[in-house]
Amino acid sequence: MTVAALYVERNGVYFDLPGVDPWDESRDARLYAGPHPVVAHPPCARWCRLAGLVEARWGHRRGDDGGCFASALASVRRWGGVLEHPAYSDAWGAFDLPRPPRHGGWVRGLCGGWSAHVEQGRYGHAARKATWLYVYGVAQLPTLRWGYDPDTRAKALVSWCGNHVASSERRPRVGKRAASRSPIEFRDLLLTIARATQTTEMSCTF
């Protein structure tokens, strides 16, 4: 089954894969009109935990992402698949998505979709990278590598956002590009989830 990978990095981990149709910035994933299930990585800068600080300092309004998250969510709900965003994303509250517990398990929302908390560090990322997933139209939800790891010296830090550690912390730090890239094993997990979609087109009134 072909999967459309939306809002992905050009020549990144979703490119040059059989059965994957990658949509980078030049293609504008807001224009995606099916018919394949999707793996969606909409931009997170206006929804992350630093969005309020950015708005106060530079005037970029929280949630003002040009409609990317709304479009990604609509694609997942119409064609099936999975949407990925940083844990604690403000988009979850803005779009009434079910808030998942950080220690594991899937939580069902009113519209029939499911949310989960997972750390990409458990799939090969250099940092912990806590992530929320929203899945819709999938026949069987997988068991993920559940759990919450507090900040320890076992993982690198992300240099471009806040880390809840002491100012004297000397762990390695990864830059924005490396931090945003999905580990291969995690990418393959998301593609497998999308390929488990039951039907080719769905609808949701929420």
Side-chain angles (χ1 to χ4, degrees):
M1 179 188 293
T2 298
V3 172
L6 309 183
Y7 305 96
V8 297
E9 177 187 23
R10 183 167 185 79
N11 297 323
V13 297
Y14 287 95
F15 273 71
D16 300 320
L17 290 178
V20 176
D21 178 23
W23 287 65
D24 63 2
E25 186 176 4
S26 68
R27 294 185 71 183
D28 192 351
R30 293 172 297 182
L31 303 178
Y32 181 69
H36 308 301
V38 307
V39 171
H41 297 274
C44 62
R46 300 293 173 262
W47 298 106
C48 72
R49 300 172 94 176
L50 292 180
L53 174 63
V54 171
E55 180 176 352
R57 183 169 296 181
W58 291 289
H60 302 300
R61 296 186 62 185
R62 186 195 304 263
D64 187 8
D65 68 349
C68 290
F69 190 93
S71 177
L73 181 61
S75 291
V76 168
R77 285 176 167 171
R78 181 175 183 185
W79 307 108
V82 55
L83 183 154
E84 177 270 341
H85 234 221
Y88 315 106
S89 167
D90 286 343
W92 252 244
F95 290 90
D96 295 322
L97 302 182
R99 184 183 177 94
R102 69 182 183 182
H103 292 289
W106 293 95
V107 177
R108 192 175 189 272
L110 294 175
C111 193
W114 298 79
S115 290
H117 177 116
V118 64
E119 295 183 357
Q120 294 189 39
R122 294 170 179 257
Y123 292 86
H125 200 284
R128 186 158 54 96
K129 197 177 180 184
T131 297
W132 282 357
L133 302 179
Y134 177 78
V135 170
Y136 193 87
V138 171
Q140 184 172 356
L141 296 168
T143 298
L144 306 181
R145 294 174 188 167
W146 308 116
Y148 165 74
D149 291 329
D151 276 316
T152 68
R153 297 186 181 277
K155 289 292 179 182
L157 300 175
V158 177
S159 62
W160 54 281
C161 72
N163 298 281
H164 299 290
V165 295
S167 59
S168 59
E169 181 61 65
R170 292 293 181 268
R171 263 183 290 167
R173 292 175 181 261
V174 294
K176 183 175 182 179
R177 185 171 183 179
S180 64
R181 182 166 292 187
S182 298
I184 298 301
E185 189 178 7
F186 192 69
R187 174 206 68 187
D188 291 345
L189 169 67
L190 299 186
L191 290 172
T192 298
I193 291 173
R195 288 185 172 121
T197 298
Q198 288 180 301
T199 60
T200 57
E201 186 171 357
M202 290 156 278
S203 63
C204 179
T205 58
F206 285 80

